[in-house]
Amino acid sequence: MEAILKRTAQRVHESDDEKLLIEQAQNGDREAFEQLVRRHDRDILRLAFHMLGNREEAREVFQETFLKAYRSLSRFRFESSFYTWVYRIATNVSLDHLRKRQTLKEEISYESDTEMNPDRPALKETLAATTYYSNPERRLYGKEVGEKIREALKTLSEKERLVFELRHYQGLRLKMIGEIMGSTEETAKNYLFRATQKLRAYLTHV
Amino acid sequence: MSCRDYQHQITLLLYDELPESSRVELETHLQSCPNCHDAYESEKAMHSVLAEDAARWSDIPSDLLVESRKGLADKLDRIERNRSRWRLPAFSVVFTPMRLLESVALIAMGLALGVYVSNQRQVIPQVAGNPAQDQISVIPRNGTISNLQVVSADPVTGQVELAGEISQPLRFQGKMEDDTVRSLLFSALRDANNPGSRLKAVEMLAQKPTDESIEEALINALIYDHDAGVRMRAMEGLQRFADEQHVRAAFMHTLENDTDAGIRVKAIDALMARNSRDVELAKSLEAVTKKDDNPYIRSKGLEFVGTAK
Ligand SMILES: [Zn+2]
């Protein structure tokens, strides 16, 4: 979390010369474009890696995002920050990939549904054993919990998933998330609220 | 406000997104309302589980970053190559005077560099109806044209489309720390047709890897450059940083992929010298070096596993 805060502070500093870099990149300056990329590519890769959950697709999303940015940079009008703009592209590309994967899965079979069978120990118990009622000082995290959380995230709608991803996993403020979605902070708040409700329902009732 | 409203705010409170005044009000309510207090406790518990999950994902594998960047750079290269070959307006002139870096002496101390200002291709738009002489005047005195290509020629109208590069000598003096010096050297590293110039740039950079951007440029050279000499110089510049995460990832990449055994040897030596107690690293080194066809590297790999334990 501290790292995220530091990054945010850094970003404010960098915004001054960023405009210049963007203009240079718009004039075809590859060096300037790559400098812009370097400023944000760790964040974009982290987003892609978590959204897709594997290296292959994370790399694809990463490259697709910046190639799209490269191709449409001339249309960037400084109405938002470059960071917000790239994030918007990255979230769209990530969601596209998830959608494709979803279609593929539905086409293949029902087999994956067996994964959701309630044969496994209920997460409620896992949570109870790990965090809910036990000593908060202990390291509580088990691998199984991680898997459950991934499943729970799949129950969210796209917008809920997006807002939750950006706020919880990427540490962005709701105000910026509103901008990324082309919407408002209020809307982002509502999605965050619904997302946590759904996650709680899933994680305590499986 | 109703309890329902307060419970809405709990999420925002946990994410530190609740304005100060609402926060105080909510906290007061939580002290007096057992229902909301329970809801708060349970949401807080879930929040902390989720926070641990987020912490697990907060670091990206540095080799994944290296791979992703390389993939992107390759794709951008391809786009640029196609563009510079086929998308030029008639009589445009393309500036890539990087070649000059080689022809003008690079005097180490004074750092007199014969380079230009940015390696970008500036396309000079044709003004409609202008006679060709005016276009020619855009070629600077003592500039030379190279790599001329005829993009198209129409024998009926006499219209031709040419593309090429202009090289122009320039000198720049400054300290290594100067941004201009740096961007000159970074630009030189991209001069794909000119390994000699890249080698000089890498040598200069390797003398003084003072910061992240230089390190990054050297890592790029180590991983992307087609010329083994350039990669070797980059490796030498980086080896004392072999305990840093990104440099380590780059060296592992080199060890696994570089076709030049001499560079791979340097990579494993540097990794061993700087990370002698890292058991995790030893394991992945063992896996990589096992397949190496060079006996020295294989034996070094084994030796490392031994000392790390
Ligand atoms: Zn209440």
Side-chain angles (χ1 to χ4, degrees), chain B residues 3 6-7 29 33 35-36:
Chain B
C3 285
Y6 282 120
Q7 289 178 18
H29 178 76
C33 174
N35 262 346
C36 287

Side-chain angles (χ1 to χ4, degrees), chain B residues 216-273:
Chain B
E216 215 162 74
L218 290 175
I219 288 177
N220 281 340
L222 174 63
I223 292 175
Y224 306 157
D225 208 290
H226 298 300
D227 185 88
V230 175
R231 296 201 302 277
M232 183 61 108
R233 287 290 166 279
M235 161 67 68
E236 284 163 5
L238 285 166
Q239 57 193 6
R240 58 199 150 122
F241 303 99
D243 53 344
E244 288 174 20
Q245 201 190 15
H246 285 88
V247 178
R248 247 165 67 157
F251 283 10
M252 285 302 287
H253 187 275
T254 293
L255 197 54
E256 202 168 355
N257 302 295
D258 205 298
T259 49
D260 187 294
I263 298 174
R264 297 203 304 278
V265 165
K266 282 253 182 213
I268 193 167
D269 284 347
L271 282 168
M272 285 177 69

